[in-house]
Amino acid sequence: MKYCVIFILIFLDLCFIHGLGITQDTLWTKRYGGSGSEGINDIEVTDNDHFILAGFWEGIGAYFLKTNSLGKIIWSSTFVSGISKITPNSLHNNAYMAVGTNLSDISLVCVGDNGDSLWSRTYGDSLNEYGVDIDATDDKGYILAGNRRVFYQPDDMDWFIVRIDSIGDTLWTRTYGWSDYDVVRSIESTTDDGYAIAGFSYLNEEGRGYLVKADSLGSIIWYHLEYDGLDKDYRSVKQTTDGGYVVAGSTEAWDWFLIEKFYLVKYDSLGNKEWQKEYGEFPYLKVASEVLQTVDGGYMMIGKAHEWYGNGDNSAFIVRTDSGGEMLWELILPIDGINSFLRTGAVLSDNEYIVAGVFDHDMWLLKLREPSYCCEVDMYPDDDPVVVQPGGS
C-alpha cells in the first residue's frame, strides 16, 4: 500500500494545496490600499524585475503602482479613467500603455516611468464603448479590444476592435457580433501579424465561448464557437509556443449539482481543437480570469472560487497543468469571511510566478514558487491502519 503525504501551508488564515505529495512555497505577499475598495487588474514585469501594477481605487479611478522585486512601493499615481489592462510602450523604455474606460469611451493613457501621464486618447462615438484589453503589435502600434453598447438597447453588446499606430492614431476599427449580447474578454497579437480574440456570446439563452482568428486588417480567418448544451465563457487567450492557441475561462458542469469549473481549451494554428479540460469539483464554483504558458510548455490558470452553498465570498484559485492539460497541482486560498480572488499574473522563471488581484478590498500581490514534489512512501507492514507516532518513522 502506498501513502501520499499532503502538506498544508499556513498562510494568512488557511491555504490548501492539492496534488501528489507537493508543498507550495509562498515567497511573500503584499497588500496595498486605503479605506475604500481597491484591486489589481493587470501586472507587467520590468527589465529589472520590478512590477507595474494597474488597478482601481473606489471613488478615484485607476491606480498605478511601481514596486521593486520584493513588492516595496517605488511610486504610485491615480487617473480619473478606469484601467483594465496594460502593455509596455513600444517607443519609450519604462513607459506603459493602459487601456480602460472614460465615461462612455475607450480610454488610452501613456504612463511614464514616474507614474505621470505622457498623453492620452479616447476612442468611440455616440455609442457606449468600454476598454477591455490591449496588446502591442510588431510595427510598434497597438490593438485594443472593447465592447460597444447601444444607449437605447442596453442588452445589445458587440465586440469593438481598434487598431492604432504608435502615437494613438486610429488605423482601422472592426465590430463583431453574433447575437444580441456579445462580450469580448481578451486579445492577443499573433506571430503572423494577425490577432486572436476571445469572448462570450449569449445566443438563444445559451452562453457560448468564442475564439476568433483575424488577419492584420481585422478580417475573420476562422472562428470557433464552443457550446455543448452547458454555458461557457472564454476569458483569456494566449498564442502558444507551437503556434496554436490556448483559451481559459469557465464552463458549467454537473457534479452533484450544476456548478462552474475552470475550463481550458487548446487549438492548433488552424483553429482545430486538440483537447479540452475541466478543473474543480463540488461544492466550489470556479472561474479562470487568465491563462499563462509556463517555461516547460505547460499552463497556469488563475481566478476565483466560491462555495456553491456559501455566502458568496470568493477565494483565490490557481491550477497548474502540463502541456497536455493534465493537472499537476491546484491551490485554493479559502480564508473564511474574507473576499479574495486573482485577476492576473506573470511567469518570472521556470519555477517562480507573480499573481495579483483583490484581498479584502485591497490590492493584493503574491510571489509563488513552484511546489516541490515530496513523498510517495512504501509502508511495511501495509495492513490498515498504519500509524506513525510523532517523531517516529
Side-chain angles (χ1 to χ4, degrees):
M1 178 184 299
K2 291 186 177 181
Y3 292 82
C4 179
V5 180
I6 302 293
F7 289 83
I8 299 178
L9 170 69
I10 303 299
F11 165 65
L12 298 176
D13 284 347
L14 284 175
C15 295
F16 296 98
I17 182 151
H18 307 278
L20 178 59
I22 55 180
T23 61
Q24 176 70 44
D25 192 355
T26 301
L27 299 179
W28 52 257
T29 179
K30 298 288 185 180
R31 292 170 60 182
Y32 317 94
S35 59
S37 179
E38 297 88 30
I40 298 173
N41 289 332
D42 202 10
I43 186 170
E44 284 287 339
V45 183
T46 68
D47 292 339
N48 56 353
D49 293 329
H50 290 180
F51 305 116
I52 303 293
L53 312 177
F56 59 90
W57 192 341
E58 186 179 46
I60 295 178
Y63 194 37
F64 262 82
L65 288 177
K66 183 176 183 179
T67 79
N68 66 12
S69 59
L70 298 176
K72 182 179 180 180
I73 295 176
I74 298 174
W75 54 253
S76 65
S77 61
T78 59
F79 298 89
V80 174
S81 60
I83 297 297
S84 298
K85 290 289 184 176
I86 56 176
T87 195
N89 185 281
S90 56
L91 297 180
H92 304 286
N93 292 333
N94 301 318
Y96 297 85
M97 308 300 295
V99 68
T101 305
N102 186 7
L103 299 177
S104 60
D105 290 322
I106 295 175
S107 67
L108 182 68
V109 180
C110 179
V111 181
D113 191 36
N114 295 316
D116 53 325
S117 174
L118 302 182
W119 55 265
S120 63
R121 301 285 290 269
T122 59
Y123 306 90
D125 49 28
S126 60
L127 306 177
N128 280 351
E129 286 86 18
Y130 309 90
V132 173
D133 201 2
I134 183 173
D135 200 18
T137 55
D138 288 340
D139 62 355
K140 300 187 182 301
Y142 307 94
I143 190 76
L144 312 180
N147 294 300
R148 166 174 278 180
R149 172 178 284 161
V150 180
F151 276 118
Y152 52 85
Q153 293 179 321
D155 294 329
D156 191 348
M157 187 90 76
D158 289 325
W159 297 9
F160 185 53
I161 309 300
V162 184
R163 177 70 161 87
I164 61 175
D165 62 18
S166 60
I167 59 174
D169 290 336
T170 300
L171 300 178
W172 53 258
T173 64
R174 289 276 185 171
T175 301
Y176 309 102
W178 297 269
S179 68
D180 288 339
Y181 194 75
D182 303 286
V183 178
V184 67
R185 305 282 199 188
S186 177
I187 195 164
E188 173 99 339
S189 294
T190 55
T191 54
D192 60 357
D193 295 326
Y195 312 100
I197 316 168
F200 165 87
S201 181
Y202 196 67
L203 184 62
N204 297 327
E205 298 185 352
E206 298 166 348
R208 304 164 187 250
Y210 262 101
L211 175 63
V212 171
K213 178 63 177 69
D215 63 19
S216 60
L217 297 177
S219 298
I220 295 177
I221 300 174
W222 52 259
Y223 70 91
H224 200 287
L225 167 66
E226 184 67 17
Y227 178 71
D228 59 6
L230 297 171
D231 287 353
K232 303 191 185 315
D233 189 353
Y234 282 175
R235 290 178 174 261
S236 177
V237 60
K238 294 290 190 300
Q239 187 171 31
T240 54
T241 53
D242 62 1
Y245 306 91
V246 65
V247 185
S250 65
T251 181
E252 287 185 330
W254 286 102
D255 188 352
W256 295 94
F257 297 91
L258 189 63
I259 64 172
E260 277 187 299
K261 295 185 177 185
F262 269 24
Y263 193 51
L264 189 66
V265 187
K266 176 66 168 62
Y267 299 92
D268 65 19
S269 60
L270 300 177
N272 301 306
K273 184 192 293 186
E274 296 182 333
W275 49 260
Q276 64 186 42
K277 302 287 184 179
E278 301 174 3
Y279 311 89
E281 62 283 321
F282 183 82
Y284 285 101
L285 310 177
K286 301 175 180 178
V287 178
S289 58
E290 187 166 15
V291 60
L292 308 170
Q293 185 162 34
T294 55
V295 174
D296 62 0
Y299 306 101
M300 174 180 281
M301 288 171 288
I302 57 180
K304 63 182 180 180
H306 67 268
E307 288 185 284
W308 182 82
Y309 46 75
N311 60 6
D313 286 335
N314 293 298
S315 299
F317 189 57
I318 301 173
V319 171
R320 172 76 159 87
T321 79
D322 62 16
S323 59
E326 297 300 324
M327 189 176 72
L328 300 177
W329 52 265
E330 63 179 358
L331 174 65
I332 188 169
L333 313 180
I335 304 160
D336 292 338
I338 297 179
N339 190 47
S340 62
F341 53 91
L342 297 172
R343 279 201 172 112
T344 187
V347 177
L348 302 178
S349 66
D350 61 349
N351 69 343
E352 290 187 353
Y353 311 92
I354 192 79
V355 295
V358 175
F359 179 85
D360 194 24
H361 306 293
D362 286 337
M363 304 176 80
W364 190 26
L365 188 65
L366 302 91
K367 188 174 182 181
L368 305 173
R369 178 175 290 155
E370 188 79 18
S372 57
Y373 289 78
C374 179
C375 316
E376 187 176 86
V377 182
D378 288 320
M379 306 293 289
Y380 299 100
D382 62 356
D383 297 327
D384 288 330
V386 175
V387 179
V388 180
Q389 298 297 329
S393 62

